[in-house]
């Protein structure tokens, strides 16, 4: 049977349907050529400072820096003369002089001459004057000292509120914004840091409100157990502060697991910092130094513990193999976890024209993880094969634009 020839006349070629179809094909071809003709260059691995992208390292550094900044700001409100602290030093020096004079059987006149300089130094200190007044009984001294405490209570509360509040804010802001700052995600850092500021300020306010009450309950009158109870008291107070300062990421992510990681890490930091307070003060003789060591330790240990706990309990994560953030790990908390060039993406890939605003997403399933390509950029690759949706296995290499990840999953066995 002879082949039939297809005859197309000029009117058929000029039909509107033909023109519309050609325009659609040209649009599709143009889009494909745009992505396929452009070679994606993967930047070489940058390993020199890759250790700084490890969560344990940068969370510890940011936490310590937050503690240092908080101490610097908070100490501005503790620079006023503290009559109680000065009185402790003066009374200790006075008692040492008296004991030395008793040993050599000094006369009253000799005793007066020996203590004259220390009395002159404390002549304007009401606490010291009460304690060395020979006319007052022990009960009267206690009552007058209690009255002096009440007068200073409001000033101490304000100073504590500002110190704990500012320290809580600076540590919480830097810990909350740490991930985003490492990823160069300024928008994310602002959002996380803002939430961290609110949570840290709340923690500081709670501690400032409770610290005096806790001290009254836990500080005994017996001198022999005062030092131990001071340690426990500060550990309790600063542990409460720690519960707040590392909680912001979990609140923003609305993820209970991440929230618990932060709170436990912060609690450990607060307790350890609080335990150091009294020994450092005893050794250095300066409350300023003890606050510095303690609050920096709070931030350092809170960040360190959060990073270690996160590594211990994570189930699935992506590790960046190359680029500016080589070595950075993204723990897969959110479901789905979006990868893209938009700053609000959970995994933010900046300065890459081949990455769409929401380029791909990872679905967290009950029995594993799946990667889905979204049609807003170049293809997404798993082990160098373009995919639309694929189940991820431990060790899979994922490429999105110019960034290479390795997927890792904890062995459930």
């Amino acid at each position: 049977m002879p082949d039939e020839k297809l005859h197309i006349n000029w009117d058929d070629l000029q039909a509107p349907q033909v023109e519309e179809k050609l325009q659609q094909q040209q649009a599709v071809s143009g889009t494909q050529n745009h992505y396929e003709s452009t070679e994606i260059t993967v930047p070489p691995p940058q390993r020199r400072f890759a250790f700084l992208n490890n969560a344990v390292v940068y969370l510890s550094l940011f936490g310590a820096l937050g503690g240092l900044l908080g101490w610097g700001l908070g100490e501005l409100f503790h620079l006023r003369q503290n009559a109680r602290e000065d009185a402790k030093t003066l009374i200790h020096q006075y008692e040492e002089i008296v004991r030395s004079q008793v040993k050599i059987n000094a006369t009253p006149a000799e005793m007066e001459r020996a203590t004259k300089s220390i009395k002159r130094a404390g002549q304007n200190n009401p606490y010291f004057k009460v304690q060395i007044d020979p006319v007052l009984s022990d009960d009267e001294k206690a009552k007058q000292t209690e009255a002096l405490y009440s007068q200073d209570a409001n000033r101490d509360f304000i100073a504590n509120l500002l110190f704990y509040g500012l320290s809580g804010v600076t540590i919480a802001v830097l810990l909350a914004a740490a991930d985003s700052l490492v990823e160069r995600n300024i928008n994310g850092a602002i959002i996380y840091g803002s939430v961290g500021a609110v949570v840290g300020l709340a923690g500081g306010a709670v501690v400032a409100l409770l610290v005096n009450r806790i001290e009254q309950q836990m500080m005994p009158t017996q001198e022999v157990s005062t030092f131990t109870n001071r340690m426990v008291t500060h550990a309790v107070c600063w542990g409460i502060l720690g519960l707040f300062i590392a909680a912001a990421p979990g609140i923003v992510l609305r993820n209970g697991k991440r929230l618990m990681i932060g709170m436990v890490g912060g609690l450990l930091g607060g307790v350890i910092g609080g335990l150091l307070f009294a020994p450092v003060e005893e050794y250095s003789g300066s409350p300023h130094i003890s606050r510095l060591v303690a609050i920096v330790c709070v931030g350092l240990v809170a960040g360190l513990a959060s990073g270690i706990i996160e590594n211990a309990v994570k189930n699935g994560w992506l590790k960046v193999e190359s680029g500016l953030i080589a070595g950075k790990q993204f723990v897969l908390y959110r479901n789905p976890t979006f990868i893209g060039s938009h700053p609000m993406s959970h995994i933010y890939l900046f300065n890459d024209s081949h990455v769409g605003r929401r380029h791909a997403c990872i679905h967290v399933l009950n029995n594993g993880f799946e990667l889905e390509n979204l049609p807003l950029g170049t293809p997404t690759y798993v082990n160098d094969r373009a995919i639309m949706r694929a189940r991820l296995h431990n060790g899979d290499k994922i490429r999105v634009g110019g960034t290479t990840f390795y997927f890792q999953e904890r062995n459930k066995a």
Side-chain angles (χ1 to χ4, degrees), residues 234-257:
H234 284 106
V236 171
C237 294
W238 291 45
I240 294 172
L241 177 64
L243 283 172
F244 285 84
I245 60 176
I251 293 174
V252 176
L253 289 173
R254 297 191 295 277
N255 185 278
K257 185 176 182 180

Side-chain angles (χ1 to χ4, degrees), residues 85-355:
E85 296 297 331
D86 291 344
K88 290 180 182 179
T89 303
L90 291 169
I91 292 169
H92 177 73
Q93 293 174 350
Y94 179 81
E95 290 175 346
E96 287 290 325
I97 293 173
V98 170
R99 279 194 290 268
S100 66
Q101 293 299 304
V102 170
K103 287 181 179 179
I104 63 173
N105 296 319
T107 64
E110 292 172 335
M111 183 81 74
E112 181 64 26
R113 284 195 298 271
T115 58
K116 185 176 181 179
S117 61
I118 194 69
K119 287 180 178 178
R120 185 185 303 113
Q123 63 183 347
N124 295 322
N125 189 301
Y127 294 94
F128 177 70
K129 290 170 68 175
V130 167
Q131 293 299 319
I132 67 171
D133 191 337
V135 178
L136 298 176
S137 65
D138 289 342
D139 288 342
E140 290 173 330
K141 288 179 180 180
K143 289 180 181 179
Q144 291 194 24
T145 300
E146 183 65 29
L148 291 172
Y149 282 162
S150 298
Q151 294 174 11
D152 285 342
N154 289 333
R155 289 191 301 174
D156 288 342
F157 171 74
I158 294 173
N160 283 333
L161 177 63
L162 292 172
F163 175 78
Y164 288 117
L166 289 171
S167 298
V169 166
T170 53
I171 296 174
V173 165
L174 288 182
L175 284 178
D179 283 316
S180 297
L181 290 173
V182 170
E183 298 162 21
R184 281 73 166 178
N185 185 350
I186 303 303
N187 288 352
I190 292 173
I191 293 172
Y192 280 81
S194 299
V195 175
V198 174
V199 177
L201 182 60
V206 169
V207 172
L209 289 169
L210 294 179
V211 63
N212 288 333
R213 296 183 183 179
I214 294 174
E215 286 179 353
Q216 291 172 2
Q217 293 294 323
M218 300 188 66
M219 291 284 194
T221 57
Q222 293 84 358
E223 185 68 25
V224 66
S225 58
T226 297
F227 181 76
T228 300
N229 280 269
R230 284 175 61 205
M231 290 182 62
V232 175
T233 299
H234 284 106
V236 171
C237 294
W238 291 45
I240 294 172
L241 177 64
L243 283 172
F244 285 84
I245 60 176
I251 293 174
V252 176
L253 289 173
R254 297 191 295 277
N255 185 278
K257 185 176 182 180
R258 185 63 183 88
L259 178 63
M260 290 303 300
I261 289 172
M263 293 181 69
V264 172
L267 175 63
L268 289 173
V271 169
I272 293 174
L275 289 174
L276 286 174
F277 187 93
V280 173
E281 185 178 32
E282 190 81 8
Y283 179 78
S284 66
S286 170
H288 304 290
I289 295 176
S290 64
R291 279 191 289 267
L292 168 62
V293 173
I295 199 65
V296 170
C297 183
V298 170
L300 174 67
V301 177
L304 178 66
S306 296
I308 292 174
I309 295 170
E310 182 179 76
N311 280 333
V313 302
K314 62 189 178 183
N315 293 323
W317 64 98
L318 299 182
K319 184 175 181 180
V320 182
E321 177 65 17
S322 61
L324 293 174
I325 54 175
K328 175 76 173 72
Q329 292 185 12
F330 293 93
V331 181
L332 302 173
Y333 291 114
R334 298 293 293 267
N335 186 25
T337 298
F338 287 100
I339 306 171
S341 61
H342 192 278
M344 295 310 297
S345 295
H346 306 129
I347 299 177
Y348 172 51
L349 303 180
F350 53 93
N351 294 335
D352 192 335
S353 60
H354 298 95
V355 178

